[in-house]
Amino acid sequence: MKIGMVGTGGFSRMHAAIFTDMTDVRFQAVCGTSQEKAAAFAAEYGDANGYDNVTQMLDQEKLDAVYICVPPFAHGDVEQQLIERGIPFLVEKPLAVNLKVPNEITVSLQKKNVITSVGYHFRYRDTVASLKKELETCTVGMVTGGWMGSMPLVPWWRNRDTSGGQFVEQTTHLIDLVRYTLGEVEEVHAVEANRIMADLHKNVTVADIGSAILKMKSGVLVQLSNTCVLPDDVLEIGLHYFHSGGIAKIDQAGLTKCTSSMEVKEKDSVNPYVRENEAFLHAVQTGDTSRILSSYEDAFRTQEVTDAIMKSVESKKTVQLGGN
Ligand SMILES: NC(=O)c1ccc[n+]([C@@H]2O[C@H](COP(=O)([O-])OP(=O)(O)OC[C@H]3O[C@@H](n4cnc5c(N)ncnc54)[C@H](O)[C@@H]3O)[C@@H](O)[C@H]2O)c1
């Protein structure tokens, strides 16, 4: 399989390191914001061809699949070109800064079926599979949790128009996990504020603290907090599920299941990013998409929730989600 990449940043590097290790995979071409960056990136992984224009890359190379690892504001044109040409793609989360571009891409995907995968890698964790199984045997009352970390210092992240803000950019992983384990969201109410980061850095337009209540269609209440005020490498990401059998806690370290008589800890045995890459490339090679756990259409529902959260922040009102 000949693979193309759009983007030459940190996460392009993460995926390239994984798929260049696989058999039957050739890293064929990469497109960056300049020819120099693309060439430098290509050189790190062998002899891929570098481009600064996606159309040119797609015209000149016969690619079997493309990875899209660009910031939230840069989505749209790349996906549309790939759909038009029928080329499968793995796109990093979030799908965009809001719903406009994902709406357009979803319409195109309805007209032309193309294999897609979205980088919600939590879904590929062993501990998440175990959590899902546990939740099938009990009734969940409520969930609390958060994405408490530092601010990524790339310029696009601190700008609300280019990243979408903390709920859209990073907390989206937890919102997707909530959907994956508990079903769809009925309504949201959220608040955000600025405490520290706008005084420390120039051009900060994203909030640095936030909190949202999600009411699920099942009736479960979910309270999610986030912040990006912490120093680098101080990080707390996770969810606590309070249910009829006890508490299930999932975080970066693994899953802890607590009942009145015992506490069991589980860890992930496989890197979920590897599993995500294998599932996508297996689908490209065989047409069997059953191992892909997040398609574009499914990730669209997560984007609808983060978009509703941002609408709630702006309007100071509870926002209902439509659909089923
Ligand atoms: N799944 C995860 O765990 C995870 C972790 C980190 C990042 N990500 C996601 O990956 C995406 C990229 O993040 P990153 O850390 O690689 O960012 P980055 O800033 O390191 O790199 C982004 C790259 O995008 C490219 N780019 C920028 N503007 C572009 C444009 N207008 N058109 C085409 N390409 C453009 C550039 O090559 C740039 O190097 C983000 O959406 C981020 O949320 C996901």
Side-chain angles (χ1 to χ4, degrees), residues 6-15 31-34 37 54 68-75 78 92-95 119-122 147 154-157 168-170 172-173 273 276:
V6 181
T8 58
F11 241 56
S12 295
R13 203 162 265 115
M14 199 286 298
H15 285 294
C31 181
T33 45
S34 74
K37 279 192 189 173
V54 172
I68 309 171
C69 304
V70 299
F73 72 91
H75 289 282
V78 179
E92 263 308 332
K93 46 52 61 182
L95 300 180
Y120 284 110
H121 69 281
F122 279 58
W147 190 288
V154 284
W156 61 262
W157 203 94
V168 173
E169 227 293 316
Q170 292 183 323
T172 186
H173 276 299
Y273 295 116
E276 175 186 83

Side-chain angles (χ1 to χ4, degrees), residues 61-261:
E61 308 283 354
K62 201 176 166 341
L63 300 174
D64 295 303
V66 170
Y67 283 64
I68 309 171
C69 304
V70 299
F73 72 91
H75 289 282
D77 177 53
V78 179
E79 287 91 334
Q80 293 290 15
Q81 291 201 48
L82 292 169
I83 295 167
E84 214 167 282
R85 293 166 194 251
I87 300 174
F89 60 87
L90 183 152
V91 59
E92 263 308 332
K93 46 52 61 182
L95 300 180
V97 288
N98 53 34
L99 272 185
K100 185 178 175 297
V101 163
N103 258 322
E104 293 163 0
I105 293 170
T106 303
V107 169
S108 299
L109 283 170
Q110 279 160 358
K111 291 185 195 145
K112 188 158 180 179
N113 191 24
V114 170
I115 294 172
T116 60
S117 172
V118 181
Y120 284 110
H121 69 281
F122 279 58
R123 291 184 177 219
Y124 296 87
R125 292 175 60 176
D126 300 322
T127 48
V128 166
S130 176
L131 169 68
K132 247 173 109 62
K133 216 165 164 199
E134 160 124 338
L135 296 181
E136 279 166 16
T137 65
C138 58
T139 305
V140 178
M142 75 175 300
V143 177
T144 63
W147 190 288
M148 320 306 270
S150 60
M151 180 182 274
L153 288 179
V154 284
W156 61 262
W157 203 94
R158 71 190 69 166
N159 182 334
R160 168 79 200 276
D161 293 337
T162 50
S163 76
Q166 175 62 275
F167 276 109
V168 173
E169 227 293 316
Q170 292 183 323
T171 313
T172 186
H173 276 299
L174 295 182
I175 291 161
D176 189 68
L177 182 55
V178 163
R179 284 191 53 246
Y180 189 53
T181 51
L182 297 173
E184 298 302 337
V185 179
E186 185 174 296
E187 64 180 40
V188 300
H189 192 94
V191 287
E192 284 192 333
N194 290 287
R195 289 286 297 161
I196 297 171
M197 300 315 280
D199 293 333
L200 291 185
H201 301 281
K202 282 191 181 146
N203 306 320
V204 174
T205 58
V206 293
D208 61 12
I209 52 171
S211 194
I213 306 280
L214 282 56
K215 183 174 172 222
M216 308 302 289
K217 284 193 193 300
S218 62
V220 173
L221 292 183
V222 179
Q223 188 272 318
L224 290 177
S225 296
N226 61 29
T227 187
C228 55
V229 304
L230 294 176
D232 274 350
D233 301 324
V234 183
L235 194 64
E236 200 172 287
I237 297 168
L239 296 174
H240 287 194
Y241 292 73
F242 300 92
H243 59 77
S244 52
I247 306 172
K249 307 175 190 174
I250 186 135
D251 57 23
Q252 305 105 290
L255 174 66
T256 308
K257 297 174 177 172
C258 311
T259 65
S260 43
S261 57

